[in-house]
Amino acid sequence: MMATTDTNDEGQQQEQQQQDNFVKHQASVSQGNTICTSEEEHLSHQQNVFDTMSEWFADREKEVTPDLEPIYQDMANDILQQIRDASSNSSSLRLLDVACGTGVLWEFLFEAANQANLSLAIQGVDLSPAMVEHASKRAKRLLDHHHHHNTQQRNRNKKDDTPPTLPSHTIDVVASDI
């Protein structure tokens, strides 16, 4: 029984250390207490923070840890079940992933779509061009194994005040893992 407790303590210590490292890294990127006085300043600050942290996220999301894997699987299954419940008997679905980050959810969405015998097209959009670049790299790797799916990625220009407009027939569902 003691060995199990020691193992649990080590796991908790590692998890706490990872959280502490994340907070320290985020604080160093954010440069302390940044006060934004306008929406444009806030968006610019957020873009800068996530651009700077994109490598950090991409490195940690190359392999989803076993403790997070069931969460992403459940999220992907829930999203696809909601799509299937709301749509007709379509064999293909189009999904817009808002704040896609590095695209970490996509592998799980593709796997869930495979199990449901669906073809899935994902369009990812994010404020951070660096995150979109990592999502594009992830998409290329994923599409090597999932040939009947596809992805598109783009960043939302912080200076663009108009929301993106998409014809209603181009997207079946909008999702986000934030």
Side-chain angles (χ1 to χ4, degrees):
M1 192 65 131
M2 187 63 128
T4 303
T5 303
D6 290 344
T7 304
N8 287 341
D9 288 344
E10 287 177 26
Q12 289 173 344
Q13 288 173 352
Q14 279 183 326
E15 185 176 320
Q16 184 61 49
Q17 183 64 40
Q18 287 176 342
Q19 288 175 353
D20 291 346
N21 288 342
F22 175 79
V23 169
K24 287 177 188 173
H25 186 72
Q26 188 177 28
S28 71
V29 169
S30 295
Q31 302 167 348
N33 296 326
T34 302
I35 298 174
C36 300
T37 57
S38 70
E39 183 178 344
E40 186 174 316
E41 282 182 23
H42 173 73
L43 292 175
S44 179
H45 174 70
Q46 288 298 318
Q47 179 181 352
N48 187 32
V49 167
F50 283 102
D51 279 349
T52 304
M53 291 188 69
S54 66
E55 287 293 329
W56 192 90
F57 279 106
D59 287 345
R60 279 147 189 83
E61 293 175 346
K62 283 180 184 168
E63 297 286 328
V64 175
T65 58
D67 58 321
L68 291 178
E69 195 168 302
I71 295 168
Y72 283 114
Q73 286 171 337
D74 286 347
M75 199 179 316
N77 288 330
D78 287 348
I79 290 168
L80 286 179
Q81 186 58 50
Q82 289 176 25
I83 294 169
R84 293 189 73 166
D85 289 348
S87 67
S88 62
N89 292 330
S90 178
S91 62
S92 65
L93 297 170
R94 298 157 303 210
L95 183 136
L96 175 63
D97 183 1
V98 177
C100 67
T102 63
V104 70
L105 182 60
W106 299 350
E107 179 177 359
F108 299 96
L109 287 167
F110 285 157
E111 289 299 325
N114 287 344
Q115 291 174 8
N117 201 26
L118 294 171
S119 174
L120 182 62
I122 300 174
Q123 182 170 0
V125 63
D126 200 282
L127 179 65
S128 165
M131 288 288 206
V132 170
E133 180 62 32
H134 287 291
S136 295
K137 290 176 185 175
R138 179 184 301 272
K140 288 175 186 165
R141 284 193 314 268
L142 289 173
L143 293 176
D144 286 342
H145 303 288
H146 301 279
H147 303 290
H148 59 285
H149 301 299
N150 69 65
T151 66
Q152 293 180 350
Q153 305 79 42
R154 65 182 186 154
N155 69 294
R156 173 108 160 83
N157 185 332
K158 67 184 177 190
K159 295 177 183 165
D160 183 3
D161 290 341
T162 58
T165 56
L166 299 168
S168 61
H169 64 279
T170 62
I171 299 294
D172 296 310
V173 69
V174 176
S176 183
D177 62 351
I178 58 172

